[in-house]
Amino acid sequence: MQDSSRRGFMGKAFGAVAAVGALGSLVAMKSSWDPLPSVKEAGFTTLDMSIYEEGVMVTEKWRGKPIFVLKKSASTMEKEKGNAAAEARNIKVGDSNFMVAIGLCTHLGCIPAFRADSNDFKCACHGGEFTASGLVQKVPPPRGFDIPPFKIEGNKLVLGEVGPEFKKMKDTGITL
Amino acid sequence: MAHFTKATSVKDWLNQRLAVDKVEKVMASEYWIPKNINFLWAMGMVLLITFSLLLCSGIFLLMYYVPTVEGAFYSVNYTIMREVGFGWLWRHIHGVAASVVFLIMYIHMFTGIYYGSYKKGREMIWLSGMLLFIAFSTEAFSGYMLPWGQMSYWAGMVITNLFAGGSLHADGLVEWIRGDYVPAQAFLGRFFMLHVVLVPVAILGLIGLHFAALRIPHVNNQDGEEIDFEAESKKYLAGDKAGSKVMRFANDFLSKDMMVVGIYLLFFFYLVFYNYGFAMDPVNFDPADGLKTPAHIYPEWYFLWSYEILRPFPIDTGLVLFGLAQGIFVALPFLDRSPNAVPASRRGLFKIWFWAMLCNMILLTSMGKLPPEGIFSQIGLVSAILFVVLWVLLPIITTFEKKL
Ligand code: HEM
Ligand code: FES
């Protein structure tokens, strides 16, 4: 009896030590898969917004992801009028209006292609479509393009930093 | 202490220390197989051989493959394919085997479904088999990342994005899996590890489990007959080989098995030498470029059916159905409510269910390869819905199945 209860105690004591060890190793293993600090620090890109031409879609790069920059023409702005969802996503730098967005389909992350003649985007992977303002035109994408964190500094746009304009978009649920 | 005597032969020496005779009996000459089976029962052996081919060719690829985003593409497409003597052979064997192994697995699975070999004590065989299927899927996907071509990169992007869970937006989880914002070095490194160590080790263990699960219930037979293996093997050992319903695994059944394996290998090496193209996607011969999506992203043929279930729906519904499609076959022994473990041809409505499921999966597979436009989207959608409906129907029709 005494013997078996002593074994029982040893079993429990071992169990407790093993549980602490297992928990500790899980924490270590989880952290080993986290993005490295060097990866996180390389996360800023500055764009000079004065070089873009109207109606010409340019793809920039930020954190390894494509960033769509489209300077909107007067006719696009005209079309957006009254469409609150489109207007709320507009990014104004100086006198120019831009659509700036992460160029990955919000469905599963392919890069939609810009179609200059119809002034919209089409995703080849599962057939999703987006307007020139970045809103969904055809499912399966669940929402418009995501907008990267940005800060307007004069003629420049710093991607990766959160400025007041971006904060407002985020708080109102315009982007994630 | 055990008592050892001076050995009379090498065999006796080994017998005293490792009981080799006994092991041979248990594993081979007195492991009993029903006589009433056909070539479909050789698929397990074909799978085992194909896995060995993957292992051997993989080991040779591994000697020159470089798991870095700068070096991977070059090491596969230049070093292995052009410089290493017969490097192309290992690569073609590896690629063809990775594709064919799924064809054989599907045949193996549908054989099991047709003959009801997943119930009456054979549940663990089925479950361990499904775990093998999952492990092989992981192995194939992680291997597909390694050449770091356009399809590697974009398939990696799309598949890891699935883990965001649609509207759950678990982007942190996706970044954790990748170790970066996009698939990059950290991603390639960990998938390389999975492909060459962790998953192959898991596969070896699972193969052991699969075989252990076969031990007690034995394999099923063409008529679903319940055989008394104890009595039949006694008959066999007593000399009535013709009257017994069973035969030895080795060399009786093994010789039949190897006959099928031989024919299979002719077919296999025909593919390796003359028709390997299907296993090598041309798009993957462009190096990975994070700023350019290929015109169509589709997985290898063996994932197309479940991909087609994801595709026609809005993201959340699509994900739920995709998850269901991935997991539902595991539940087969529990969704089939009928106790009849006989061929589908004798099971009334289940016979229709079986052929409908098989044809529908072939249809889903062909639609998954086509661009998601027009009539193809429509057929794909109907077919995806039919897949779900069939699974809902299964417990119902099998509950009302006449007991044989
Ligand atoms: C268990 C079944 C396995 C499957 C289904 C599988 C699948 C694949 C696939 C689909 C590829 C990409 C093929 C290509 O583009 O050429 C690949 C590549 C590779 N595999 Fe495997 N593999 C398996 C086992 C192994 C094993 C056991 C090893 C070594 C220990 C290995 C080592 C490699 C290497 C180094 C590559 C990159 C070279 C290349 O792409 O040709 N594989 N594997
Ligand atoms: S990734 Fe764009 S539609 Fe699916």
Side-chain angles (χ1 to χ4, degrees), chain B residues 8-9 22 31 37 54 112 156 159-160 174 192 196 231 247 254 265-266 274 280 287 302 304 315 318 329 331:
Chain B
T8 54
S9 65
K22 194 159 177 196
Y31 173 45
I37 55 180
L54 282 165
I159 298 296
T160 46
V174 174
F192 173 65
V196 303
M247 58 182 161
L254 201 60
L265 285 178
L266 288 179
Y274 301 107
M280 311 256 157
Y302 39 84
L304 285 172
I315 176 102
F329 277 94

Side-chain angles (χ1 to χ4, degrees), chain A residues 90-111:
Chain A
N90 189 53
I91 297 175
K92 205 170 166 73
V93 182
D95 290 333
S96 313
N97 293 289
F98 291 91
M99 190 230 32
V100 178
I102 297 178
L104 296 173
C105 183
T106 50
H107 183 224
L108 289 175
C110 295
I111 303 180

Side-chain angles (χ1 to χ4, degrees), chain A residues 29 33, chain B residues 62 65 67 138-139 142-143 145-146 185-201:
Chain A
M29 287 189 236
W33 270 38
Chain B
L62 193 51
Y65 175 76
T138 316
E139 184 67 2
S142 56
M145 299 299 107
L146 302 186
Q185 183 56 50
F187 175 87
L188 181 59
R190 62 190 59 172
F191 277 79
F192 173 65
M193 173 283 290
L194 287 174
H195 188 75
V196 303
V197 183
L198 195 56
V199 184
V201 169

Side-chain angles (χ1 to χ4, degrees), chain A residues 139-166:
Chain A
V139 292
R143 60 181 189 280
F145 287 132
D146 293 331
I147 298 170
F150 66 88
K151 191 170 166 198
I152 301 171
E153 286 179 357
N155 256 340
K156 298 208 163 58
L157 198 64
V158 184
L159 299 180
E161 261 189 70
V162 176
E165 292 85 356
F166 177 77

Side-chain angles (χ1 to χ4, degrees), chain B residues 261-288:
Chain B
V261 167
I263 294 168
Y264 163 76
L265 285 178
L266 288 179
F267 163 72
F268 180 84
F269 281 100
Y270 159 74
L271 292 178
V272 167
F273 289 114
Y274 301 107
N275 239 320
Y276 50 82
F278 75 96
M280 311 256 157
D281 196 302
V283 181
N284 222 19
F285 286 88
D286 291 327

